[in-house]
Amino acid sequence: MEGLLATIYAAFARYLAWGLALCLALASSPPSEAATALANAKSTFIESLLARMTVEEKAGQLLMRFAEAEPPPQIVLDAVAAGNVGSVFAHPAATPAQLRTLQQHAVKHSRLGIPLFFAGDVVHGRRTIFPIGLGLASSWDLDAISVSARVAAREATGDGLDMTFAPMVDISRDPRWGRISEGFGEDTYLVSRIAATVVRGFQGELGARDSLMACVKHFAAYGAVEGGRDYNSTDVSPLRLYQDYLPPYLAAINAGAGAIMTALTSLNGVPATANGWLLRSVLRQQWQFSGLVISDHSAIEELIVHGVAQDGAQAAQRALVAGTDVSMNDRYYLQTLPGLIEQGQIEVELLDDAVRRVLAVKYDMGLFESPFRRLSGSHGAAFSNAGLALYRAEARHVARRTLVLLKNERATLPLKRQGTIALIGPLADNSRDILGSWPANGQPSQAVSLYQGLRTALGDHAQLLYALGANIHDNPPAFDLLADNQVVLDPRPPSALLAEALAIARQADVVIAALGEPRGMSHEGASKTTLDLPQQQRELLRALKMTGKPLVLVLMNGRPLSIVEESQWADAVLETWFSGSEGGNAIADVLLGDYNPSGKLPISFPRTVGQLPVHYNTLNTGRPFIKERPSKYKSRYFDLDPTPLYPFGYGLSYTTFSLSSLRLSTHQLPPGQSLQASITVKNQGSRSGETVVQLYLRDRVASVSRPIKELKGFRKVLLAPGESRRITFTVDQTALGFYNQDLQWITEPGEFDVMIGLDSQHLEHARFELLEASR
Ligand code: NOJ
């Protein structure tokens, strides 16, 4: 064994040295030649290793095995040493020491010494927790989002991980789906920009010690589950799939994502994990993706339950043939692939291809060169969170940019640092839920609750009173069935909690109600049939309204809620999502005016669940609803305004902005060229602030119906009081293109509307014509 190991590493060292020498020699040559030489070195190394592997060892490389947060049991170590494990999905609390033991077994005791790679769910932070996906998207600030991803990568790689199962870029327009919290909202363009930013942020320079390989998920269209019910089927027309759902995955891949995860769901009748059209035609052929395809957890076994395989062998065969390389914690690849190959039911080339890709990501992660590179503790930290310097400044900077001011009547906010403030609600002094779903290794004890944030910010200037007011949810049996269900309920009856809250509200000059959802309610397996606040919390808010005190509603939640009445009861409403480790400080910054809110919704807020789906970029239909001219035979609900309560792109500031003088550089655009659309944005108030200028386009007449507006650009700008700035967007041919009925990406000549606004509803208009190509 040692002999073989030595041979392999000597070969590797030779290839590496050769590659480096070539790189230097070719430094002045066109980059493609140097890249080709390096790619050749990599492929030679992989082929030489593959040639030495048995079929069993190859099948072993395709297994990603789960590791609990405990010293690895002998049975797992034996499996690693036997070459039966290719990678490890590590429990969030698994320590680098535990992972190191596993790696030692792989490198020192397995026949070929092939290192493992370690993966985990680092979705919005590892130890320093940043706002959830919907929050990050609300910042419309790619620099801030990039900071959050880079910090997450540093911490995760410092804890021994090589790969994260993120970003989650599933477009979703159904807030009943609990996982909507993890994504970046309803819009394809915004989600695509964020997807690319997050991938680059995680990966940095691929192979570097602090590079965390991104496994983008869940391919494809997991966010379109019918009825918003998790794991339910998805059925999406090809046009909508290409136009709306697929681009964010492609953006992540184009940004260099090393891996992609299949969805647990079926797409148009075929489970994603066995969907050859999706994984081979789209992903490999059309998109030329050469990275790794990983099944979601036990998705291969579930092919039997889906009813597309009768046993484990058939499930494994279907998944591999379709293009799933790695099975996540799922026994059938290991158990059945060697036999299937021996019986000639699967070509060994198919297995080899999948193994090549596993070896390639390990190569790209730098693991052949140095298998312990992320397990050495050289990132300067012992594993325990205690006493670690979190990236608090970064977390606060990012979090406050993600808060969205939905309402602010009579300038209720910002609050003055004086008098008595009553802070009430189950999320008011809650440092657990503020971390959101998928908190990785974030510790509630290290998160700042709103109470703590306000307490610090107010100092001795104002009195801060606190009461729970209501329990966070009122359906314990249903809650117990959630994946993340640890909440502590106050045993007192609701009337006692309410009485205590009202007593302090009456003493206060202003009341802040911190209401919303426990984090487990916006999570995997946490779909709901209503978007209402839990009943006890609604009653609390109504009672607080009756006190007549100025009332600020601070929402913490992982999905758009239906808050028609709540938004009327409250004088001000601040959507804070789940804002992470520094959430309490960030929210206090906004409530007290130390930071002027600048967030904008990345998703529409419906008035009620019955309106779903509600999104801004709909098709016009033949009978569009026109609010100003109601009539019978229109696409509408007869019992409710079909528009959202708060639209996509919406969010207020403590100052006001105006837009004027929208101009286009041309009104006749020759094909293949671009034009400039410019507008003046002015801060009309007496406080500096940021806003997001949003560019939307509409193709007025095309061979397929095109949306009434589509986001095609945005710019977040900071303006001093009274300051104006001219903002210019370039509208290029990419912004004008779309998929036609044959799923070809084309542009068609004709008229386009250009719309620019500070949300998706209030827009300045201009128009140009894309000219025909001259013959
Ligand atoms: C199942 C989830 O669908 C996926 O998003 C996650 O990455 C894996 N489990 C691993 O936790």
Side-chain angles (χ1 to χ4, degrees), residues 614-653:
V614 178
H615 54 103
Y616 81 94
N617 46 359
T618 57
L619 303 185
N620 203 35
T621 81
R623 297 180 175 196
F625 165 79
I626 301 168
K627 201 167 182 169
E628 299 72 35
R629 278 182 283 130
S631 95
K632 283 182 194 162
Y633 297 107
K634 296 293 177 190
S635 181
R636 66 186 182 110
Y637 298 105
F638 74 79
D639 57 349
L640 190 73
D641 182 337
T643 63
L645 176 63
Y646 298 116
F648 176 82
Y650 170 83
L652 304 172
S653 160

Short mmCIF file of all heavy atoms in Angstrom, two decimals, residues 614-653:
data_model
loop_
_atom_site.label_atom_id
_atom_site.label_comp_id
_atom_site.label_asym_id
_atom_site.label_seq_id
_atom_site.Cartn_x
_atom_site.Cartn_y
_atom_site.Cartn_z
N VAL A 614 -48.03 35.31 -6.76
CA VAL A 614 -48.01 36.75 -7.03
C VAL A 614 -46.56 37.12 -7.35
O VAL A 614 -45.70 36.92 -6.51
CB VAL A 614 -48.44 37.55 -5.78
CG1 VAL A 614 -48.38 39.04 -6.06
CG2 VAL A 614 -49.82 37.15 -5.35
N HIS A 615 -46.32 37.58 -8.55
CA HIS A 615 -44.99 38.08 -8.88
C HIS A 615 -45.14 39.17 -9.91
O HIS A 615 -46.14 39.22 -10.64
CB HIS A 615 -44.06 36.96 -9.36
CG HIS A 615 -44.59 36.14 -10.49
ND1 HIS A 615 -44.18 36.28 -11.78
CD2 HIS A 615 -45.54 35.17 -10.51
CE1 HIS A 615 -44.83 35.44 -12.56
NE2 HIS A 615 -45.67 34.75 -11.82
N TYR A 616 -44.14 40.04 -9.99
CA TYR A 616 -44.34 41.26 -10.77
C TYR A 616 -44.24 41.02 -12.27
O TYR A 616 -44.82 41.74 -13.07
CB TYR A 616 -43.29 42.33 -10.35
CG TYR A 616 -41.95 42.11 -10.99
CD1 TYR A 616 -41.59 42.76 -12.18
CD2 TYR A 616 -41.03 41.21 -10.45
CE1 TYR A 616 -40.38 42.54 -12.79
CE2 TYR A 616 -39.81 40.98 -11.05
CZ TYR A 616 -39.50 41.64 -12.22
OH TYR A 616 -38.30 41.41 -12.83
N ASN A 617 -43.48 39.99 -12.67
CA ASN A 617 -43.14 39.84 -14.09
C ASN A 617 -44.07 38.84 -14.79
O ASN A 617 -43.62 37.88 -15.40
CB ASN A 617 -41.67 39.42 -14.24
CG ASN A 617 -41.29 38.30 -13.29
OD1 ASN A 617 -42.11 37.84 -12.50
ND2 ASN A 617 -40.06 37.86 -13.34
N THR A 618 -45.35 39.08 -14.68
CA THR A 618 -46.33 38.18 -15.28
C THR A 618 -46.48 38.49 -16.78
O THR A 618 -46.04 39.53 -17.27
CB THR A 618 -47.71 38.39 -14.63
OG1 THR A 618 -48.06 39.76 -14.78
CG2 THR A 618 -47.69 38.03 -13.17
N LEU A 619 -47.16 37.59 -17.46
CA LEU A 619 -47.54 37.88 -18.84
C LEU A 619 -48.78 38.78 -18.78
O LEU A 619 -49.50 38.81 -17.78
CB LEU A 619 -47.85 36.60 -19.60
CG LEU A 619 -46.71 35.55 -19.64
CD1 LEU A 619 -47.10 34.38 -20.53
CD2 LEU A 619 -45.41 36.17 -20.12
N ASN A 620 -49.03 39.44 -19.88
CA ASN A 620 -50.12 40.42 -19.85
C ASN A 620 -51.50 39.75 -19.85
O ASN A 620 -52.45 40.29 -19.30
CB ASN A 620 -50.00 41.35 -21.07
CG ASN A 620 -50.69 42.66 -20.84
OD1 ASN A 620 -50.68 43.16 -19.70
ND2 ASN A 620 -51.30 43.22 -21.85
N THR A 621 -51.61 38.55 -20.45
CA THR A 621 -52.87 37.84 -20.74
C THR A 621 -53.66 38.63 -21.80
O THR A 621 -53.32 39.79 -22.11
CB THR A 621 -53.77 37.61 -19.51
OG1 THR A 621 -54.51 38.80 -19.23
CG2 THR A 621 -53.02 37.15 -18.30
N GLY A 622 -54.72 38.04 -22.27
CA GLY A 622 -55.58 38.74 -23.24
C GLY A 622 -56.54 39.69 -22.54
O GLY A 622 -57.13 40.57 -23.18
N ARG A 623 -56.69 39.50 -21.25
CA ARG A 623 -57.65 40.34 -20.53
C ARG A 623 -57.05 40.83 -19.21
O ARG A 623 -57.47 40.41 -18.13
CB ARG A 623 -58.93 39.55 -20.24
CG ARG A 623 -59.61 39.14 -21.53
CD ARG A 623 -60.86 38.37 -21.28
NE ARG A 623 -61.53 38.11 -22.53
CZ ARG A 623 -62.79 37.74 -22.63
NH1 ARG A 623 -63.51 37.55 -21.53
NH2 ARG A 623 -63.33 37.52 -23.80
N PRO A 624 -56.06 41.67 -19.34
CA PRO A 624 -55.38 42.09 -18.11
C PRO A 624 -56.28 42.91 -17.18
O PRO A 624 -57.14 43.65 -17.65
CB PRO A 624 -54.22 42.93 -18.62
CG PRO A 624 -54.61 43.35 -19.99
CD PRO A 624 -55.50 42.29 -20.53
N PHE A 625 -56.03 42.77 -15.90
CA PHE A 625 -56.73 43.56 -14.89
C PHE A 625 -56.13 44.96 -14.86
O PHE A 625 -54.91 45.12 -14.80
CB PHE A 625 -56.56 42.88 -13.53
CG PHE A 625 -56.92 43.73 -12.36
CD1 PHE A 625 -58.25 43.91 -12.01
CD2 PHE A 625 -55.94 44.34 -11.58
CE1 PHE A 625 -58.59 44.69 -10.91
CE2 PHE A 625 -56.27 45.12 -10.48
CZ PHE A 625 -57.60 45.29 -10.15
N ILE A 626 -56.97 45.97 -14.94
CA ILE A 626 -56.47 47.35 -14.84
C ILE A 626 -57.17 48.00 -13.66
O ILE A 626 -58.39 48.17 -13.67
CB ILE A 626 -56.72 48.13 -16.15
CG1 ILE A 626 -56.00 47.40 -17.30
CG2 ILE A 626 -56.22 49.57 -16.04
CD1 ILE A 626 -56.38 47.87 -18.67
N LYS A 627 -56.37 48.30 -12.65
CA LYS A 627 -56.93 48.76 -11.37
C LYS A 627 -57.83 49.99 -11.55
O LYS A 627 -58.90 50.09 -10.95
CB LYS A 627 -55.78 49.08 -10.43
CG LYS A 627 -56.15 49.08 -8.99
CD LYS A 627 -54.91 49.09 -8.13
CE LYS A 627 -55.32 49.05 -6.68
NZ LYS A 627 -54.22 48.80 -5.78
N GLU A 628 -57.40 50.91 -12.41
CA GLU A 628 -58.13 52.17 -12.59
C GLU A 628 -59.43 51.95 -13.36
O GLU A 628 -60.31 52.80 -13.33
CB GLU A 628 -57.28 53.20 -13.35
CG GLU A 628 -55.99 53.61 -12.65
CD GLU A 628 -54.92 52.52 -12.67
OE1 GLU A 628 -54.84 51.78 -13.66
OE2 GLU A 628 -54.21 52.38 -11.64
N ARG A 629 -59.51 50.85 -14.10
CA ARG A 629 -60.72 50.61 -14.92
C ARG A 629 -61.24 49.20 -14.67
O ARG A 629 -61.11 48.31 -15.52
CB ARG A 629 -60.37 50.79 -16.40
CG ARG A 629 -60.40 52.26 -16.83
CD ARG A 629 -60.11 52.40 -18.32
NE ARG A 629 -58.68 52.27 -18.60
CZ ARG A 629 -58.18 51.47 -19.54
NH1 ARG A 629 -58.95 50.73 -20.28
NH2 ARG A 629 -56.88 51.42 -19.73
N PRO A 630 -61.83 48.97 -13.49
CA PRO A 630 -62.29 47.61 -13.19
C PRO A 630 -63.41 47.19 -14.14
O PRO A 630 -64.23 48.02 -14.53
CB PRO A 630 -62.81 47.71 -11.75
CG PRO A 630 -62.72 49.13 -11.36
CD PRO A 630 -62.12 49.93 -12.46
N SER A 631 -63.41 45.95 -14.55
CA SER A 631 -64.51 45.47 -15.36
C SER A 631 -64.63 43.96 -15.21
O SER A 631 -63.73 43.32 -14.68
CB SER A 631 -64.36 45.93 -16.81
OG SER A 631 -63.75 44.94 -17.57
N LYS A 632 -65.76 43.42 -15.69
CA LYS A 632 -66.10 42.03 -15.35
C LYS A 632 -65.16 40.98 -15.92
O LYS A 632 -64.66 40.13 -15.22
CB LYS A 632 -67.51 41.73 -15.86
CG LYS A 632 -68.58 42.31 -14.99
CD LYS A 632 -69.94 41.93 -15.52
CE LYS A 632 -70.97 42.80 -14.83
NZ LYS A 632 -72.23 42.81 -15.55
N TYR A 633 -64.96 41.01 -17.24
CA TYR A 633 -64.27 39.89 -17.87
C TYR A 633 -62.77 40.16 -17.95
O TYR A 633 -62.21 40.26 -19.03
CB TYR A 633 -64.89 39.64 -19.25
CG TYR A 633 -66.34 39.23 -19.14
CD1 TYR A 633 -67.36 40.11 -19.50
CD2 TYR A 633 -66.69 37.97 -18.65
CE1 TYR A 633 -68.68 39.74 -19.38
CE2 TYR A 633 -68.02 37.59 -18.53
CZ TYR A 633 -69.02 38.49 -18.89
OH TYR A 633 -70.32 38.11 -18.76
N LYS A 634 -62.17 40.28 -16.78
CA LYS A 634 -60.73 40.55 -16.71
C LYS A 634 -60.06 39.51 -15.83
O LYS A 634 -60.71 38.88 -15.00
CB LYS A 634 -60.47 41.95 -16.13
CG LYS A 634 -61.01 43.07 -16.98
CD LYS A 634 -60.26 43.17 -18.30
CE LYS A 634 -60.85 44.26 -19.18
NZ LYS A 634 -60.31 44.24 -20.54
N SER A 635 -58.77 39.38 -16.00
CA SER A 635 -58.04 38.38 -15.21
C SER A 635 -57.81 38.93 -13.80
O SER A 635 -56.91 39.72 -13.56
CB SER A 635 -56.69 38.09 -15.88
OG SER A 635 -56.02 37.13 -15.12
N ARG A 636 -58.67 38.51 -12.89
CA ARG A 636 -58.67 39.11 -11.56
C ARG A 636 -59.40 38.19 -10.61
O ARG A 636 -59.92 37.15 -11.02
CB ARG A 636 -59.37 40.47 -11.59
CG ARG A 636 -60.83 40.28 -11.90
CD ARG A 636 -61.65 41.52 -12.11
NE ARG A 636 -63.02 41.08 -12.34
CZ ARG A 636 -64.01 41.26 -11.48
NH1 ARG A 636 -63.83 41.93 -10.37
NH2 ARG A 636 -65.20 40.79 -11.75
N TYR A 637 -59.43 38.53 -9.35
CA TYR A 637 -60.31 37.87 -8.37
C TYR A 637 -61.46 38.82 -8.09
O TYR A 637 -61.22 40.01 -7.91
CB TYR A 637 -59.55 37.58 -7.08
CG TYR A 637 -58.38 36.63 -7.29
CD1 TYR A 637 -57.07 37.09 -7.30
CD2 TYR A 637 -58.60 35.26 -7.49
CE1 TYR A 637 -56.01 36.22 -7.50
CE2 TYR A 637 -57.54 34.39 -7.70
CZ TYR A 637 -56.25 34.88 -7.71
OH TYR A 637 -55.20 34.02 -7.92
N PHE A 638 -62.69 38.30 -8.05
CA PHE A 638 -63.78 39.25 -7.84
C PHE A 638 -63.85 39.73 -6.39
O PHE A 638 -64.46 40.74 -6.08
CB PHE A 638 -65.14 38.67 -8.30
CG PHE A 638 -65.73 37.60 -7.39
CD1 PHE A 638 -66.40 37.95 -6.23
CD2 PHE A 638 -65.63 36.26 -7.71
CE1 PHE A 638 -66.94 36.99 -5.40
CE2 PHE A 638 -66.16 35.28 -6.89
CZ PHE A 638 -66.81 35.64 -5.72
N ASP A 639 -63.17 38.99 -5.48
CA ASP A 639 -63.29 39.36 -4.06
C ASP A 639 -62.06 40.09 -3.53
O ASP A 639 -62.00 40.41 -2.35
CB ASP A 639 -63.56 38.11 -3.22
CG ASP A 639 -62.49 37.04 -3.37
OD1 ASP A 639 -61.65 37.17 -4.28
OD2 ASP A 639 -62.49 36.10 -2.57
N LEU A 640 -61.05 40.30 -4.36
CA LEU A 640 -59.85 40.97 -3.82
C LEU A 640 -59.01 41.54 -4.96
O LEU A 640 -58.90 40.94 -6.03
CB LEU A 640 -59.01 39.96 -3.04
CG LEU A 640 -57.87 40.55 -2.22
CD1 LEU A 640 -58.38 41.27 -0.99
CD2 LEU A 640 -56.89 39.46 -1.79
N ASP A 641 -58.41 42.68 -4.68
CA ASP A 641 -57.43 43.28 -5.58
C ASP A 641 -56.33 42.23 -5.86
O ASP A 641 -55.73 41.71 -4.93
CB ASP A 641 -56.85 44.49 -4.82
CG ASP A 641 -55.84 45.27 -5.63
OD1 ASP A 641 -55.26 44.70 -6.57
OD2 ASP A 641 -55.64 46.44 -5.30
N PRO A 642 -56.06 41.93 -7.12
CA PRO A 642 -55.05 40.89 -7.40
C PRO A 642 -53.60 41.35 -7.22
O PRO A 642 -52.69 40.54 -7.31
CB PRO A 642 -55.31 40.53 -8.87
CG PRO A 642 -55.93 41.75 -9.45
CD PRO A 642 -56.68 42.45 -8.35
N THR A 643 -53.39 42.64 -7.00
CA THR A 643 -52.00 43.12 -6.87
C THR A 643 -51.46 42.78 -5.48
O THR A 643 -52.22 42.53 -4.55
CB THR A 643 -51.93 44.66 -7.06
OG1 THR A 643 -52.69 45.26 -6.00
CG2 THR A 643 -52.49 45.08 -8.40
N PRO A 644 -50.14 42.76 -5.36
CA PRO A 644 -49.57 42.46 -4.03
C PRO A 644 -49.76 43.61 -3.05
O PRO A 644 -50.02 44.75 -3.45
CB PRO A 644 -48.09 42.26 -4.33
CG PRO A 644 -47.83 43.02 -5.58
CD PRO A 644 -49.11 43.00 -6.37
N LEU A 645 -49.61 43.29 -1.77
CA LEU A 645 -49.65 44.35 -0.75
C LEU A 645 -48.40 45.22 -0.89
O LEU A 645 -48.49 46.45 -0.88
CB LEU A 645 -49.72 43.72 0.64
CG LEU A 645 -49.68 44.66 1.81
CD1 LEU A 645 -50.89 45.58 1.82
CD2 LEU A 645 -49.62 43.88 3.14
N TYR A 646 -47.25 44.58 -0.99
CA TYR A 646 -45.99 45.29 -1.24
C TYR A 646 -45.33 44.63 -2.44
O TYR A 646 -45.11 43.42 -2.45
CB TYR A 646 -45.05 45.19 -0.02
CG TYR A 646 -45.61 45.82 1.22
CD1 TYR A 646 -45.89 45.05 2.35
CD2 TYR A 646 -45.84 47.20 1.28
CE1 TYR A 646 -46.41 45.63 3.50
CE2 TYR A 646 -46.36 47.78 2.43
CZ TYR A 646 -46.64 46.99 3.53
OH TYR A 646 -47.15 47.57 4.66
N PRO A 647 -45.00 45.42 -3.46
CA PRO A 647 -44.47 44.81 -4.68
C PRO A 647 -42.97 44.53 -4.62
O PRO A 647 -42.25 45.09 -3.78
CB PRO A 647 -44.77 45.89 -5.74
CG PRO A 647 -44.72 47.17 -4.99
CD PRO A 647 -45.20 46.88 -3.59
N PHE A 648 -42.56 43.73 -5.55
CA PHE A 648 -41.13 43.47 -5.78
C PHE A 648 -40.39 44.80 -5.93
O PHE A 648 -40.89 45.73 -6.58
CB PHE A 648 -40.99 42.65 -7.06
CG PHE A 648 -39.58 42.39 -7.49
CD1 PHE A 648 -38.86 41.36 -6.92
CD2 PHE A 648 -38.97 43.19 -8.45
CE1 PHE A 648 -37.55 41.12 -7.32
CE2 PHE A 648 -37.66 42.96 -8.85
CZ PHE A 648 -36.95 41.92 -8.28
N GLY A 649 -39.24 44.90 -5.32
CA GLY A 649 -38.41 46.10 -5.49
C GLY A 649 -38.75 47.24 -4.56
O GLY A 649 -38.10 48.28 -4.58
N TYR A 650 -39.77 47.02 -3.70
CA TYR A 650 -40.28 48.10 -2.86
C TYR A 650 -39.51 48.20 -1.54
O TYR A 650 -39.12 47.18 -0.96
CB TYR A 650 -41.76 47.85 -2.58
CG TYR A 650 -42.39 48.74 -1.54
CD1 TYR A 650 -42.85 50.01 -1.86
CD2 TYR A 650 -42.53 48.29 -0.22
CE1 TYR A 650 -43.44 50.82 -0.90
CE2 TYR A 650 -43.12 49.09 0.74
CZ TYR A 650 -43.56 50.35 0.40
OH TYR A 650 -44.14 51.14 1.35
N GLY A 651 -39.35 49.40 -1.04
CA GLY A 651 -38.74 49.62 0.27
C GLY A 651 -38.54 51.10 0.48
O GLY A 651 -38.13 51.81 -0.44
N LEU A 652 -38.85 51.59 1.68
CA LEU A 652 -38.77 53.02 1.97
C LEU A 652 -37.44 53.37 2.63
O LEU A 652 -36.66 52.49 2.99
CB LEU A 652 -39.92 53.42 2.92
CG LEU A 652 -41.34 53.10 2.44
CD1 LEU A 652 -42.34 53.35 3.56
CD2 LEU A 652 -41.67 53.91 1.21
N SER A 653 -37.26 54.68 2.78
CA SER A 653 -36.05 55.20 3.41
C SER A 653 -36.50 56.30 4.37
O SER A 653 -37.66 56.72 4.35
CB SER A 653 -35.16 55.78 2.30
OG SER A 653 -34.22 56.69 2.81
#
